[in-house]
Amino acid sequence: MASSRRALQSVLGFNRVIWTGRRSFGAVPQGSAYSSSQTLINSEYEHSAHNYHPIPIVFSQAKGSCIWDPEGNRYLDFLAAYSAVNQAIIVSCCGCFHGRTLAVISMSCDNEATRGFWPLVPGHLKVDFGDAVGLEKIFKENGDRIAGFLFEPIQGEAGVIIPPDGYLKSVRDLCTKYNILMIDDEIQSGLARSGRMLACDWEEVRPDVVILGKALGGGVIPVSAVLADKDIMLCIRPGEHGSTFGGNPLASAVSIASLDVIRDERLAERSAQMGEELRNQLNKIQQKYPNYIKEVRGRGLFNAVELNSKNLSPVSAYDICLKLKERGVLAKPTHDTIIRLTPPLSISLEELEEGSKAISDVLEHDLPKMQKEKPENISSTASNICDRCGRNLY
């Protein structure tokens, strides 16, 4: 256990780590009488909370970048799976996503996350992502009361939003100047996903606190970690923090193995190379369908295609993802008009081309049919206005 911790600290450059583990449960064995996709989907819908609206798919087995459902259908995986503090004031960015506990949804500008959970936790200030001038204004006005600035170096749930060049360095300088913790949420963007070990490495910035999870377990076991230097971490005294599964030896060993694979197989470099190739392919599709694709953006294998809502109507990004599923590709929609493309770091060039072709085919063959067949969306545009800040971000 001690050696595992030291190895993680060595790889990521921090000298204190807090570990958190979670339980997971096995799937229905393949071949079971109850293992058909629709049966399992119906059962989950009947007996589970409807907190997600996923693409209707059941995983039976997986190898490399491919997934099979119980019926034997093969899909390319372009999903690759998907922190709270409470003293003084916390500053966070508009459009952020840091989880679903009450404190962090209180920072959210997503009505689906906040509605029904009021009253939200007070003590949160908001700033536009990428706005260093606005951040310093907040620091000047409230600096002596601010505990930390919590941010994603690339906003994932918002639609893979990339900050302006130099923004992360500005954040580092401002947090140092005003003695405010720079808290970097790398759960989605970290561990080679963006083409660097951490997304903050794109600007060679070292935060005060780094939050990791999901990818740290290498797809084997749920695990998360909070990393910081001893001057910060040793502020926690005995009895002030606890976790049922904290320091789990199995989780530690799996995480070290996962980091070894990332380092030894140079997955950060591979992610940067393959991500550039994917965006090249997507940009060609955008040139072919400029009325449908508004923007292609990303870093490494952390990418998104933003669709033109006016020309797409009444079809949504979710509808597009359903058609992609029919063509053997799994992708995640967000905010009605954005499709996130985050395949495994081990994906091959041929598989990237297969996925890109499916996107092109959907736009060419499926979208025109859906636009004719689907009734017009009559929902009010006011539903996109944030309840907490009154802005329309999406």
Side-chain angles (χ1 to χ4, degrees):
M1 173 67 179
S3 62
S4 296
R5 281 182 173 174
R6 284 195 295 271
L8 175 60
Q9 293 156 12
S10 175
V11 171
L12 293 173
F14 287 84
N15 53 35
R16 286 295 183 273
V17 181
I18 288 181
W19 287 93
T20 305
R22 297 185 179 88
R23 288 180 290 183
S24 61
F25 302 91
V28 176
Q30 188 176 14
S32 164
Y34 300 98
S35 64
S36 75
S37 293
Q38 197 57 52
T39 298
L40 291 172
I41 290 170
N42 291 344
S43 180
E44 181 189 40
Y45 187 85
E46 181 178 356
H47 299 291
S48 299
H50 300 168
N51 55 325
Y52 288 102
H53 185 46
I55 298 298
I57 180 73
V58 174
F59 298 162
S60 175
Q61 59 178 315
K63 183 178 181 180
S65 303
C66 298
I67 291 171
W68 287 263
D69 64 18
E71 289 73 35
N73 298 309
R74 169 187 169 275
Y75 302 93
L76 271 181
D77 180 11
F78 271 58
L79 292 171
Y82 288 73
S83 55
V85 283
N86 61 353
Q87 63 177 5
I89 297 173
I90 299 296
V91 180
S92 60
C93 293
C94 291
C96 71
F97 178 81
H98 299 290
R100 300 214 178 261
T101 54
L102 188 59
V104 291
I105 67 167
S106 297
M107 304 176 187
S108 178
C109 296
D110 186 346
N111 293 334
E112 292 183 1
T114 58
R115 284 178 179 170
F117 293 95
W118 295 75
L120 300 177
V121 177
H124 296 297
L125 296 177
K126 305 298 294 184
V127 65
D128 286 340
F129 182 61
D131 182 5
V133 174
L135 183 63
E136 182 165 25
K137 182 176 184 294
I138 289 177
F139 283 3
K140 282 182 178 178
E141 294 173 352
N142 304 276
D144 59 340
R145 300 171 56 217
I146 296 174
F149 174 49
L150 176 62
F151 70 100
E152 302 160 88
I154 299 174
Q155 288 193 323
E157 289 295 318
V160 190
I161 307 299
I162 310 295
D165 291 342
Y167 173 69
L168 298 178
K169 285 186 176 180
S170 296
V171 170
R172 175 66 279 173
D173 292 342
L174 289 172
C175 286
T176 300
K177 178 179 178 180
Y178 291 94
N179 194 29
I180 290 169
L181 289 177
M182 180 182 183
I183 308 172
D184 174 23
D185 183 346
E186 295 262 5
I187 289 176
Q188 294 193 41
S189 60
L191 300 180
R193 168 57 63 188
S194 74
R196 298 288 189 273
M197 179 62 84
L198 298 177
C200 271
D201 293 342
W202 279 96
E203 295 191 18
E204 299 180 350
V205 165
R206 192 175 193 273
D208 298 305
V209 180
V210 170
I211 304 168
L212 296 174
K214 299 179 181 179
L216 188 61
V220 176
I221 188 171
V223 61
S224 60
V226 177
L227 299 85
D229 291 326
K230 63 180 180 180
D231 291 343
I232 295 169
M233 199 65 79
L234 294 185
C235 290
I236 301 175
R237 293 171 293 184
E240 292 183 345
H241 175 81
S243 172
T244 302
F245 292 96
N248 183 294
L250 176 59
S252 300
V254 168
S255 298
I256 296 303
S258 174
L259 291 171
D260 286 343
V261 169
I262 293 173
R263 179 191 60 196
D264 296 344
E265 298 187 10
R266 301 177 64 85
L267 292 184
E269 294 87 341
R270 177 180 175 79
S271 177
Q273 178 184 0
M274 299 301 285
E276 184 175 357
E277 178 58 36
L278 175 59
R279 286 187 296 280
N280 287 339
Q281 296 174 15
L282 295 173
N283 284 326
K284 290 179 181 178
I285 298 174
Q286 182 185 24
Q287 292 170 10
K288 188 177 180 181
Y289 302 103
N291 291 335
Y292 291 147
I293 298 181
K294 180 179 179 181
E295 184 180 15
V296 173
R297 55 178 177 261
R299 278 183 175 160
L301 286 171
F302 197 21
N303 296 278
V305 172
E306 183 167 354
L307 303 168
N308 188 313
S309 59
K310 182 178 179 180
N311 294 333
L312 193 69
S313 181
V315 176
S316 68
Y318 182 81
D319 297 323
I320 297 293
C321 288
L322 288 177
K323 288 301 180 181
L324 284 173
K325 179 211 165 188
E326 292 180 10
R327 293 183 178 273
V329 174
L330 304 178
K332 183 184 187 301
T334 184
H335 300 300
D336 292 333
T337 59
I338 300 172
I339 299 175
R340 292 175 52 185
L341 303 169
T342 58
L345 307 187
S346 58
I347 195 166
S348 69
L349 178 59
E350 293 74 18
E351 289 168 331
L352 283 181
E353 291 172 346
E354 183 181 345
S356 297
K357 184 179 185 304
I359 295 172
S360 181
D361 288 345
V362 168
L363 295 180
E364 180 177 357
H365 302 292
D366 300 328
L367 180 55
K369 295 179 182 178
M370 289 191 290
Q371 289 177 319
K372 292 179 180 179
E373 297 170 357
K374 186 174 181 181
E376 290 291 334
N377 186 355
I378 59 173
S379 62
S380 171
T381 56
S383 62
N384 291 324
I385 297 176
C386 174
D387 290 342
R388 64 178 306 285
C389 69
R391 300 173 64 190
N392 190 343
L393 292 177
Y394 307 110

PDB file of all heavy atoms in Angstrom, residues 93-95 109-111 126-129 131 381-394:
ATOM      1  N   CYS A  93     -16.789  28.073 -12.450  1.00  0.00           N
ATOM      2  CA  CYS A  93     -17.070  28.624 -13.778  1.00  0.00           C
ATOM      3  C   CYS A  93     -18.495  28.314 -14.230  1.00  0.00           C
ATOM      4  O   CYS A  93     -19.029  27.238 -13.952  1.00  0.00           O
ATOM      5  CB  CYS A  93     -16.093  28.051 -14.804  1.00  0.00           C
ATOM      6  SG  CYS A  93     -14.381  28.572 -14.552  1.00  0.00           S
ATOM      7  N   CYS A  94     -19.088  29.241 -14.961  1.00  0.00           N
ATOM      8  CA  CYS A  94     -20.361  28.972 -15.612  1.00  0.00           C
ATOM      9  C   CYS A  94     -20.190  27.812 -16.582  1.00  0.00           C
ATOM     10  O   CYS A  94     -19.190  27.723 -17.296  1.00  0.00           O
ATOM     11  CB  CYS A  94     -20.850  30.207 -16.363  1.00  0.00           C
ATOM     12  SG  CYS A  94     -21.340  31.575 -15.281  1.00  0.00           S
ATOM     13  N   GLY A  95     -21.159  26.905 -16.583  1.00  0.00           N
ATOM     14  CA  GLY A  95     -21.085  25.739 -17.448  1.00  0.00           C
ATOM     15  C   GLY A  95     -20.314  24.575 -16.856  1.00  0.00           C
ATOM     16  O   GLY A  95     -20.117  23.565 -17.520  1.00  0.00           O
ATOM     17  N   CYS A 109     -24.898  25.434 -13.742  1.00  0.00           N
ATOM     18  CA  CYS A 109     -25.796  26.258 -14.551  1.00  0.00           C
ATOM     19  C   CYS A 109     -26.720  25.373 -15.391  1.00  0.00           C
ATOM     20  O   CYS A 109     -27.269  25.822 -16.396  1.00  0.00           O
ATOM     21  CB  CYS A 109     -24.994  27.178 -15.467  1.00  0.00           C
ATOM     22  SG  CYS A 109     -23.983  28.386 -14.598  1.00  0.00           S
ATOM     23  N   ASP A 110     -26.866  24.126 -15.005  1.00  0.00           N
ATOM     24  CA  ASP A 110     -27.700  23.166 -15.723  1.00  0.00           C
ATOM     25  C   ASP A 110     -28.970  22.926 -14.920  1.00  0.00           C
ATOM     26  O   ASP A 110     -28.937  22.355 -13.827  1.00  0.00           O
ATOM     27  CB  ASP A 110     -26.924  21.856 -15.901  1.00  0.00           C
ATOM     28  CG  ASP A 110     -27.673  20.848 -16.761  1.00  0.00           C
ATOM     29  OD1 ASP A 110     -28.886  21.047 -17.002  1.00  0.00           O
ATOM     30  OD2 ASP A 110     -27.062  19.853 -17.177  1.00  0.00           O
ATOM     31  N   ASN A 111     -30.106  23.373 -15.440  1.00  0.00           N
ATOM     32  CA  ASN A 111     -31.364  23.245 -14.709  1.00  0.00           C
ATOM     33  C   ASN A 111     -31.712  21.801 -14.390  1.00  0.00           C
ATOM     34  O   ASN A 111     -32.351  21.508 -13.374  1.00  0.00           O
ATOM     35  CB  ASN A 111     -32.498  23.889 -15.507  1.00  0.00           C
ATOM     36  CG  ASN A 111     -32.345  25.390 -15.629  1.00  0.00           C
ATOM     37  OD1 ASN A 111     -31.721  26.029 -14.786  1.00  0.00           O
ATOM     38  ND2 ASN A 111     -32.912  25.969 -16.671  1.00  0.00           N
ATOM     39  N   LYS A 126     -19.746  32.828  -9.337  1.00  0.00           N
ATOM     40  CA  LYS A 126     -19.564  32.309 -10.692  1.00  0.00           C
ATOM     41  C   LYS A 126     -18.767  33.278 -11.554  1.00  0.00           C
ATOM     42  O   LYS A 126     -18.846  34.490 -11.387  1.00  0.00           O
ATOM     43  CB  LYS A 126     -20.916  32.055 -11.359  1.00  0.00           C
ATOM     44  CG  LYS A 126     -21.847  31.144 -10.591  1.00  0.00           C
ATOM     45  CD  LYS A 126     -21.255  29.761 -10.413  1.00  0.00           C
ATOM     46  CE  LYS A 126     -21.109  29.021 -11.726  1.00  0.00           C
ATOM     47  NZ  LYS A 126     -20.609  27.644 -11.528  1.00  0.00           N
ATOM     48  N   VAL A 127     -18.011  32.710 -12.495  1.00  0.00           N
ATOM     49  CA  VAL A 127     -17.252  33.498 -13.452  1.00  0.00           C
ATOM     50  C   VAL A 127     -17.268  32.756 -14.782  1.00  0.00           C
ATOM     51  O   VAL A 127     -17.350  31.519 -14.810  1.00  0.00           O
ATOM     52  CB  VAL A 127     -15.805  33.726 -12.958  1.00  0.00           C
ATOM     53  CG1 VAL A 127     -15.043  32.401 -12.873  1.00  0.00           C
ATOM     54  CG2 VAL A 127     -15.059  34.713 -13.846  1.00  0.00           C
ATOM     55  N   ASP A 128     -17.208  33.480 -15.876  1.00  0.00           N
ATOM     56  CA  ASP A 128     -17.168  32.832 -17.185  1.00  0.00           C
ATOM     57  C   ASP A 128     -15.879  32.033 -17.339  1.00  0.00           C
ATOM     58  O   ASP A 128     -14.789  32.509 -16.987  1.00  0.00           O
ATOM     59  CB  ASP A 128     -17.252  33.871 -18.307  1.00  0.00           C
ATOM     60  CG  ASP A 128     -18.647  34.444 -18.458  1.00  0.00           C
ATOM     61  OD1 ASP A 128     -19.603  33.795 -17.991  1.00  0.00           O
ATOM     62  OD2 ASP A 128     -18.781  35.533 -19.049  1.00  0.00           O
ATOM     63  N   PHE A 129     -15.990  30.839 -17.878  1.00  0.00           N
ATOM     64  CA  PHE A 129     -14.821  30.009 -18.163  1.00  0.00           C
ATOM     65  C   PHE A 129     -13.950  30.699 -19.212  1.00  0.00           C
ATOM     66  O   PHE A 129     -14.436  31.124 -20.264  1.00  0.00           O
ATOM     67  CB  PHE A 129     -15.275  28.644 -18.677  1.00  0.00           C
ATOM     68  CG  PHE A 129     -14.152  27.686 -18.951  1.00  0.00           C
ATOM     69  CD1 PHE A 129     -13.299  27.279 -17.941  1.00  0.00           C
ATOM     70  CD2 PHE A 129     -13.964  27.176 -20.226  1.00  0.00           C
ATOM     71  CE1 PHE A 129     -12.280  26.381 -18.178  1.00  0.00           C
ATOM     72  CE2 PHE A 129     -12.945  26.279 -20.490  1.00  0.00           C
ATOM     73  CZ  PHE A 129     -12.092  25.872 -19.464  1.00  0.00           C
ATOM     74  N   ASP A 131     -12.346  33.573 -18.647  1.00  0.00           N
ATOM     75  CA  ASP A 131     -12.325  35.016 -18.399  1.00  0.00           C
ATOM     76  C   ASP A 131     -11.402  35.320 -17.217  1.00  0.00           C
ATOM     77  O   ASP A 131     -11.844  35.370 -16.062  1.00  0.00           O
ATOM     78  CB  ASP A 131     -13.743  35.521 -18.133  1.00  0.00           C
ATOM     79  CG  ASP A 131     -13.803  37.029 -17.915  1.00  0.00           C
ATOM     80  OD1 ASP A 131     -12.759  37.700 -18.057  1.00  0.00           O
ATOM     81  OD2 ASP A 131     -14.897  37.539 -17.600  1.00  0.00           O
ATOM     82  N   THR A 381     -38.021  28.005 -25.457  1.00  0.00           N
ATOM     83  CA  THR A 381     -36.588  28.242 -25.354  1.00  0.00           C
ATOM     84  C   THR A 381     -36.197  28.732 -23.972  1.00  0.00           C
ATOM     85  O   THR A 381     -35.028  28.676 -23.605  1.00  0.00           O
ATOM     86  CB  THR A 381     -36.147  29.287 -26.392  1.00  0.00           C
ATOM     87  OG1 THR A 381     -36.914  30.476 -26.198  1.00  0.00           O
ATOM     88  CG2 THR A 381     -36.340  28.778 -27.804  1.00  0.00           C
ATOM     89  N   ALA A 382     -37.179  29.184 -23.194  1.00  0.00           N
ATOM     90  CA  ALA A 382     -36.878  29.648 -21.844  1.00  0.00           C
ATOM     91  C   ALA A 382     -36.338  28.537 -20.964  1.00  0.00           C
ATOM     92  O   ALA A 382     -35.717  28.786 -19.951  1.00  0.00           O
ATOM     93  CB  ALA A 382     -38.125  30.261 -21.204  1.00  0.00           C
ATOM     94  N   SER A 383     -36.568  27.270 -21.356  1.00  0.00           N
ATOM     95  CA  SER A 383     -36.099  26.145 -20.553  1.00  0.00           C
ATOM     96  C   SER A 383     -34.581  26.084 -20.498  1.00  0.00           C
ATOM     97  O   SER A 383     -34.016  25.434 -19.639  1.00  0.00           O
ATOM     98  CB  SER A 383     -36.651  24.829 -21.118  1.00  0.00           C
ATOM     99  OG  SER A 383     -36.172  24.628 -22.436  1.00  0.00           O
ATOM    100  N   ASN A 384     -33.898  26.766 -21.433  1.00  0.00           N
ATOM    101  CA  ASN A 384     -32.441  26.784 -21.439  1.00  0.00           C
ATOM    102  C   ASN A 384     -31.851  27.889 -20.575  1.00  0.00           C
ATOM    103  O   ASN A 384     -30.639  27.980 -20.439  1.00  0.00           O
ATOM    104  CB  ASN A 384     -31.922  26.945 -22.875  1.00  0.00           C
ATOM    105  CG  ASN A 384     -32.199  25.713 -23.722  1.00  0.00           C
ATOM    106  OD1 ASN A 384     -32.136  24.598 -23.237  1.00  0.00           O
ATOM    107  ND2 ASN A 384     -32.514  25.933 -24.989  1.00  0.00           N
ATOM    108  N   ILE A 385     -32.685  28.734 -20.011  1.00  0.00           N
ATOM    109  CA  ILE A 385     -32.202  29.828 -19.175  1.00  0.00           C
ATOM    110  C   ILE A 385     -31.939  29.304 -17.769  1.00  0.00           C
ATOM    111  O   ILE A 385     -32.793  28.697 -17.144  1.00  0.00           O
ATOM    112  CB  ILE A 385     -33.207  30.985 -19.144  1.00  0.00           C
ATOM    113  CG1 ILE A 385     -33.375  31.567 -20.558  1.00  0.00           C
ATOM    114  CG2 ILE A 385     -32.774  32.060 -18.169  1.00  0.00           C
ATOM    115  CD1 ILE A 385     -34.419  32.655 -20.648  1.00  0.00           C
ATOM    116  N   CYS A 386     -30.732  29.539 -17.276  1.00  0.00           N
ATOM    117  CA  CYS A 386     -30.321  29.025 -15.972  1.00  0.00           C
ATOM    118  C   CYS A 386     -31.143  29.634 -14.842  1.00  0.00           C
ATOM    119  O   CYS A 386     -31.300  30.851 -14.758  1.00  0.00           O
ATOM    120  CB  CYS A 386     -28.839  29.316 -15.764  1.00  0.00           C
ATOM    121  SG  CYS A 386     -28.231  28.892 -14.124  1.00  0.00           S
ATOM    122  N   ASP A 387     -31.681  28.772 -13.971  1.00  0.00           N
ATOM    123  CA  ASP A 387     -32.478  29.237 -12.846  1.00  0.00           C
ATOM    124  C   ASP A 387     -31.664  30.085 -11.871  1.00  0.00           C
ATOM    125  O   ASP A 387     -32.179  31.010 -11.256  1.00  0.00           O
ATOM    126  CB  ASP A 387     -33.059  28.042 -12.083  1.00  0.00           C
ATOM    127  CG  ASP A 387     -34.133  27.319 -12.866  1.00  0.00           C
ATOM    128  OD1 ASP A 387     -34.666  27.912 -13.819  1.00  0.00           O
ATOM    129  OD2 ASP A 387     -34.429  26.152 -12.538  1.00  0.00           O
ATOM    130  N   ARG A 388     -30.363  29.758 -11.742  1.00  0.00           N
ATOM    131  CA  ARG A 388     -29.583  30.405 -10.683  1.00  0.00           C
ATOM    132  C   ARG A 388     -28.937  31.715 -11.142  1.00  0.00           C
ATOM    133  O   ARG A 388     -28.733  32.618 -10.348  1.00  0.00           O
ATOM    134  CB  ARG A 388     -28.517  29.464 -10.133  1.00  0.00           C
ATOM    135  CG  ARG A 388     -27.442  29.055 -11.118  1.00  0.00           C
ATOM    136  CD  ARG A 388     -26.392  28.159 -10.468  1.00  0.00           C
ATOM    137  NE  ARG A 388     -25.826  28.770  -9.287  1.00  0.00           N
ATOM    138  CZ  ARG A 388     -24.941  29.757  -9.320  1.00  0.00           C
ATOM    139  NH1 ARG A 388     -24.570  30.272 -10.475  1.00  0.00           N
ATOM    140  NH2 ARG A 388     -24.463  30.248  -8.208  1.00  0.00           N
ATOM    141  N   CYS A 389     -28.589  31.811 -12.442  1.00  0.00           N
ATOM    142  CA  CYS A 389     -27.914  33.039 -12.884  1.00  0.00           C
ATOM    143  C   CYS A 389     -28.685  33.784 -13.969  1.00  0.00           C
ATOM    144  O   CYS A 389     -28.297  34.889 -14.350  1.00  0.00           O
ATOM    145  CB  CYS A 389     -26.491  32.733 -13.353  1.00  0.00           C
ATOM    146  SG  CYS A 389     -26.381  31.784 -14.889  1.00  0.00           S
ATOM    147  N   GLY A 390     -29.750  33.180 -14.505  1.00  0.00           N
ATOM    148  CA  GLY A 390     -30.587  33.860 -15.474  1.00  0.00           C
ATOM    149  C   GLY A 390     -30.020  33.955 -16.869  1.00  0.00           C
ATOM    150  O   GLY A 390     -30.543  34.677 -17.707  1.00  0.00           O
ATOM    151  N   ARG A 391     -28.947  33.208 -17.142  1.00  0.00           N
ATOM    152  CA  ARG A 391     -28.304  33.290 -18.448  1.00  0.00           C
ATOM    153  C   ARG A 391     -28.646  32.086 -19.295  1.00  0.00           C
ATOM    154  O   ARG A 391     -28.958  31.008 -18.784  1.00  0.00           O
ATOM    155  CB  ARG A 391     -26.790  33.377 -18.275  1.00  0.00           C
ATOM    156  CG  ARG A 391     -26.349  34.579 -17.478  1.00  0.00           C
ATOM    157  CD  ARG A 391     -24.874  34.545 -17.180  1.00  0.00           C
ATOM    158  NE  ARG A 391     -24.075  34.620 -18.389  1.00  0.00           N
ATOM    159  CZ  ARG A 391     -22.767  34.416 -18.411  1.00  0.00           C
ATOM    160  NH1 ARG A 391     -22.137  34.112 -17.319  1.00  0.00           N
ATOM    161  NH2 ARG A 391     -22.103  34.499 -19.561  1.00  0.00           N
ATOM    162  N   ASN A 392     -28.583  32.269 -20.610  1.00  0.00           N
ATOM    163  CA  ASN A 392     -28.800  31.184 -21.557  1.00  0.00           C
ATOM    164  C   ASN A 392     -27.452  30.773 -22.114  1.00  0.00           C
ATOM    165  O   ASN A 392     -26.910  31.393 -23.035  1.00  0.00           O
ATOM    166  CB  ASN A 392     -29.735  31.637 -22.689  1.00  0.00           C
ATOM    167  CG  ASN A 392     -30.167  30.468 -23.557  1.00  0.00           C
ATOM    168  OD1 ASN A 392     -29.567  29.390 -23.541  1.00  0.00           O
ATOM    169  ND2 ASN A 392     -31.220  30.670 -24.337  1.00  0.00           N
ATOM    170  N   LEU A 393     -26.868  29.720 -21.532  1.00  0.00           N
ATOM    171  CA  LEU A 393     -25.522  29.307 -21.895  1.00  0.00           C
ATOM    172  C   LEU A 393     -25.522  28.438 -23.143  1.00  0.00           C
ATOM    173  O   LEU A 393     -24.509  28.350 -23.835  1.00  0.00           O
ATOM    174  CB  LEU A 393     -24.862  28.538 -20.752  1.00  0.00           C
ATOM    175  CG  LEU A 393     -24.525  29.342 -19.497  1.00  0.00           C
ATOM    176  CD1 LEU A 393     -23.941  28.419 -18.433  1.00  0.00           C
ATOM    177  CD2 LEU A 393     -23.554  30.459 -19.803  1.00  0.00           C
ATOM    178  N   TYR A 394     -26.642  27.747 -23.397  1.00  0.00           N
ATOM    179  CA  TYR A 394     -26.612  26.732 -24.444  1.00  0.00           C
ATOM    180  C   TYR A 394     -27.600  27.086 -25.558  1.00  0.00           C
ATOM    181  O   TYR A 394     -28.477  26.355 -25.852  1.00  0.00           O
ATOM    182  CB  TYR A 394     -26.915  25.355 -23.833  1.00  0.00           C
ATOM    183  CG  TYR A 394     -26.023  25.050 -22.664  1.00  0.00           C
ATOM    184  CD1 TYR A 394     -26.526  25.023 -21.375  1.00  0.00           C
ATOM    185  CD2 TYR A 394     -24.666  24.849 -22.849  1.00  0.00           C
ATOM    186  CE1 TYR A 394     -25.693  24.770 -20.288  1.00  0.00           C
ATOM    187  CE2 TYR A 394     -23.831  24.592 -21.787  1.00  0.00           C
ATOM    188  CZ  TYR A 394     -24.364  24.551 -20.515  1.00  0.00           C
ATOM    189  OH  TYR A 394     -23.538  24.305 -19.439  1.00  0.00           O
TER     190      TYR A 394
END
